Amino acid sequence: MEPKKFKPTTQQMEDGPERLNKIMVELEKLYPDAKCALVYKNPLELMIATILSAQCTDVRVNIVTKDLFKKYHKAKDFAEVEIGELEEMVKPTGFYRNKAKNIKAACIVIQEKYKGKVPGTLEELVELPGVGRKTANVVLGNAFDVPGITTDTHVIRLSRLMGLSSNTDPVRLEYDLMDIVPQKQWTKFSHMMIYHGRNICNARKPDCDNCSLRKHCSFGLETE
DNA sequence: CTCCCGATAT
DNA sequence: ATATCAGGAG
């Protein structure tokens, strides 16, 4: 029988809060100024930018919204927009028919039900067309200072690689992370994970050799 | 589960 | 050519 090669597992590392704490310390060192990368001036612009960010880089969203927010300002403007015109403007972000339709529909609701102001609770936000839990948490965390963990593609991927949770379902993962991350850090944690997911631990080729989280990461240890 | 979908890196 | 990008709805 072949001697088993040593492969560290999540159980063999520091587990639970202790390991997460070390990851948080490293993340804080790497990204002390981590914040929302989307450019916006108010909750409405952030909501729209976040809807546009689905399956699209924030860099491209910011290019599109630069012109978009120059042309339209209030919820009323988007509620009354010519849909074809909006489609053309958001086309580079992909899914442009859905996104244009959702932005217009959401702004109609905001205009009629909320007097033009974006609502500030999770329950109200997720009722808006095109606004799911992730988008709602981005708006709450950055425009309303309500702590929230955004389980986007980066947070899901890194959480799995780091062994922070076995759940890949966004909602279950969100609750798992809320259990182990201090509530005051929820929004910042999301931003730091996203920065790291872009800079080092990207999906195509995670750069473990240059990752200072490697010794606290189940994937990093297993691929040493 | 599938569909929506353009732009870029590999 | 294929995978991926701050997802959401049916």
Side-chain angles (χ1 to χ4, degrees):
Chain A
M1 188 163 175
E2 287 286 318
K4 275 191 178 176
K5 287 182 181 175
F6 175 67
K7 276 201 169 187
T9 65
T10 308
Q11 288 74 27
Q12 289 168 306
M13 303 188 299
E14 320 93 319
D15 51 305
E18 188 189 351
R19 197 159 59 84
L20 177 95
N21 200 33
K22 294 183 177 178
I23 289 172
M24 289 290 282
V25 169
E26 286 301 321
L27 286 173
E28 287 278 6
K29 256 188 268 182
L30 289 170
Y31 316 108
D33 302 314
K35 60 179 178 53
C36 183
L38 299 166
V39 178
Y40 64 97
K41 294 189 294 294
N42 51 58
L44 180 69
E45 288 190 354
L46 179 58
M47 184 200 76
I48 292 169
T50 309
I51 289 175
L52 293 176
S53 72
Q55 296 292 292
C56 178
T57 61
D58 55 297
V59 175
R60 186 153 301 282
V61 172
N62 289 335
I63 294 172
V64 166
T65 53
K66 187 177 180 184
D67 291 330
L68 192 65
F69 297 156
K70 204 178 295 177
K71 191 163 187 178
Y72 310 104
H73 303 95
K74 311 204 78 175
K76 187 171 185 293
D77 302 330
F78 287 98
E80 296 171 351
V81 73
E82 173 75 34
I83 192 68
E85 193 177 330
L86 187 55
E87 285 179 356
E88 285 308 309
M89 291 194 76
V90 305
K91 181 169 283 187
T93 68
F95 301 156
Y96 65 95
R97 282 188 285 261
N98 282 338
K99 289 175 180 176
K101 178 157 55 71
N102 287 331
I103 289 169
K104 183 177 168 76
C107 284
I108 289 175
V109 176
I110 291 170
Q111 179 63 23
E112 295 182 349
K113 188 170 178 182
Y114 300 106
K115 303 179 179 0
K117 305 277 279 182
V118 176
T121 70
L122 185 69
E123 302 78 58
E124 291 171 313
L125 283 167
V126 296
E127 286 302 308
L128 299 172
V131 177
R133 207 178 164 89
K134 177 257 169 180
T135 299
N137 273 326
V138 170
V139 174
L140 287 174
N142 299 286
F144 291 102
D145 282 321
V146 177
I149 288 178
T150 55
T151 49
D152 76 319
T153 179
H154 296 298
V155 173
I156 293 169
R157 186 181 68 257
L158 269 65
S159 296
R160 179 173 52 80
L161 293 175
M162 291 180 183
L164 294 179
S165 166
S166 53
N167 280 317
T168 54
D169 172 70
V171 179
R172 291 187 194 177
L173 175 59
E174 185 188 331
Y175 276 95
D176 284 353
L177 293 174
M178 285 192 289
D179 278 339
I180 58 178
V181 177
Q183 182 171 8
K184 269 185 83 80
Q185 302 260 58
W186 286 353
T187 304
K188 183 71 177 296
F189 171 78
S190 305
H191 291 146
M192 294 189 296
M193 290 282 274
I194 291 164
Y195 272 52
H196 198 63
R198 289 183 184 131
N199 298 335
I200 303 288
C201 192
N202 55 322
R204 297 180 193 277
K205 193 182 183 310
D207 189 5
C208 294
D209 290 338
N210 290 310
C211 181
S212 54
L213 301 179
R214 187 168 191 168
K215 57 182 174 296
H216 309 299
C217 170
S218 56
F219 181 78
L221 285 173
E222 287 171 15
T223 54
E224 258 180 350

